[in-house]
Amino acid sequence: MDQPEFVHQPLPVRVVFGNGVLGRLADEVDALGLRRVLVLSTPGRRADAERVAGLLGERAAGVHAEAVMHVPAEVAAEGLRAARAAGADGLVAYGGGSAVGLAKMIAKGLGLPVVAVPTTYAGSEMTPVWGTTEDGVKRTGHDPRVLARTVLYDPSLTLGLPARVSAASGANAMAHAVEALYAPDRSPVVSLMAEEAVRVLAAALPAVVRDPGDRPARSRALYGAWLCGSCLGVTTMGLHHKLCHALGGTLGLPHAETHAVVLPHALAYNASAAPGAVEALRRALGEDDPAAALWALTGELGLPRSLAELGADPARLDDVLAQVLAAPYANPRPVEEPGLRALLERAWKGSPPA
Ligand code: NAD
């Protein structure tokens, strides 16, 4: 059989991985020719961001610890003002997808290069996708200027990430890899990375949850998260991401936990139309039924398994359904109402995937 046709376009991100690599941040900033970088974080990580600014010495133009999940428009506008006022010529995003998301919106406005130091498993640092929220509506888009130039993955920085946040963030990451396996624009290299990502995370996350201070498990989990983010950055996501986007936007559900609840159901929906992905996931998870295995993993990680637990109002599920049907993402199986309704009902109740 011929090798199926593909296009592979890797993204130009320099990745530096290892315990203690935060110590190389100043060198990496110098290598980009930057002299005044603004350090960004969420308010909760301000002390860490100050420490990062300390490591940068004169290269730090200040700390702006105002990042908020899903980058509300006013938070983005305030970030732009802060970067201008500081005379910043670059940005260092320290933290999870919220800090990286703010850096992206500033980069989009001012064209400043981004250096990312991710401390969760969300994966935004590996993608050219920006997002912002206005009046409860999230807008996203692609822009090469928002892609991080350099990413420093230092697993030792993740030791303090609480077990629950780690588990949810890891499940969010796995969703990128699972959907990359059936993405229309996947390549053989992406499929290898995605399979490895699921294998690595499925093994590491239970160990991280048992002992958040388990250094080898943290290191493996962050490696898996990098792979997941890399898959996300170069492929088009399907039904699962569309559903989570609609659920998050319409019902205000927590981002990472929503991914954890929906993923087994979205995979079960798509399995019959994505045999190659199912084969790869069987190898990665060591189980015959990958959707059931992911559902079992969610339980093992102590994550919520129902949208009801997340506070979803069942009366609004029809709105979510309508949104997804109106503009479905590329998906291996056609997105049709009866199947989708059944999927949402199971996810709402927390029933096993079918
Ligand atoms: P987050 O950045 O808000 O972090 C989650 C929580 O973990 C926060 O409370 C944060 O303060 C805390 N935290 C982070 N690092 C910590 C550490 N080392 N120790 C202790 N606590 C720590 O959320 P997230 O899950 O990382 O990212 C979600 C956001 O990222 C969403 O807005 C999502 O839309 C976006 N996202 C975007 C992309 C993209 O490609 N554009 C991809 C994935 C996620």
Side-chain angles (χ1 to χ4, degrees), residues 42 45 69-70 96-98 119-120 122 124 127 129 138 157 160-161:
T42 49
R45 307 258 66 74
M69 174 95 66
H70 303 318
S98 299
T119 63
T120 72
S124 178
T127 83
V129 178
K138 187 164 179 176
L157 303 176
L161 193 64

Side-chain angles (χ1 to χ4, degrees), residues 206-219:
V208 163
V209 167
R210 274 194 300 277
D211 175 8
D214 181 333
R215 283 176 172 270
R218 283 294 192 183
S219 175

Side-chain angles (χ1 to χ4, degrees), residues 6-283:
F6 65 88
V7 174
H8 182 65
Q9 174 69 66
L11 296 172
V13 187
R14 174 176 164 85
V15 172
V16 182
F17 187 101
N19 279 314
V21 298
L22 180 64
R24 296 196 217 159
L25 178 63
D27 290 345
E28 294 295 334
V29 164
D30 286 345
L32 292 171
L34 304 176
R35 295 174 182 279
R36 285 183 66 75
V37 293
L38 184 65
V39 181
L40 307 167
S41 75
T42 49
R45 307 258 66 74
R46 176 182 284 280
D48 292 337
E50 301 277 2
R51 194 164 61 88
V52 169
L55 291 173
L56 289 167
E58 289 179 345
R59 303 168 193 86
V63 169
H64 182 72
E66 308 295 338
V68 174
M69 174 95 66
H70 303 318
V71 203
E74 58 278 13
V75 170
E78 192 48 50
L80 278 160
R81 270 195 291 279
R84 273 203 203 95
D89 64 359
L91 305 163
V92 170
Y94 182 93
S98 299
V100 174
L102 176 57
K104 286 175 160 182
M105 290 309 290
I106 301 174
K108 181 169 167 288
L110 301 180
L112 301 182
V114 176
V115 175
V117 184
T119 63
T120 72
Y121 306 135
S124 178
E125 66 284 351
M126 292 304 297
T127 83
V129 178
W130 54 264
T132 184
T133 323
E134 199 160 8
D135 301 327
V137 179
K138 187 164 179 176
R139 282 189 303 126
T140 61
H142 273 74
D143 188 332
R145 287 178 309 168
V146 310
L147 181 68
R149 300 279 293 275
T150 304
V151 180
L152 282 87
Y153 285 104
D154 185 338
S156 66
L157 303 176
T158 64
L159 295 172
L161 193 64
R164 166 78 182 252
V165 183
S166 304
S169 180
N172 181 186
M174 277 176 125
H176 310 329
V178 167
E179 291 225 294
L181 282 167
Y182 51 64
D185 44 4
R186 67 191 181 279
S187 75
V189 172
V190 168
S191 297
L192 286 171
M193 293 200 307
E195 182 179 332
E196 168 78 347
V198 173
R199 180 179 296 114
V200 166
L201 278 174
L205 290 176
V208 163
V209 167
R210 274 194 300 277
D211 175 8
D214 181 333
R215 283 176 172 270
R218 283 294 192 183
S219 175
R220 298 289 290 162
L222 196 59
Y223 163 61
W226 165 61
L227 292 169
C228 292
S230 305
C231 293
L232 177 67
V234 295
T235 54
T236 304
M237 295 287 106
L239 173 66
H240 169 80
H241 280 73
K242 176 70 190 187
L243 267 170
C244 292
H245 196 120
L247 284 163
T250 311
L251 308 182
L253 303 188
H255 177 83
E257 280 87 353
T258 304
H259 276 269
V261 170
V262 173
L263 184 60
H265 301 285
L267 176 60
Y269 183 93
N270 279 334
S272 62
V278 168
E279 264 316 302
L281 291 168
R282 280 185 182 141
R283 287 191 297 270

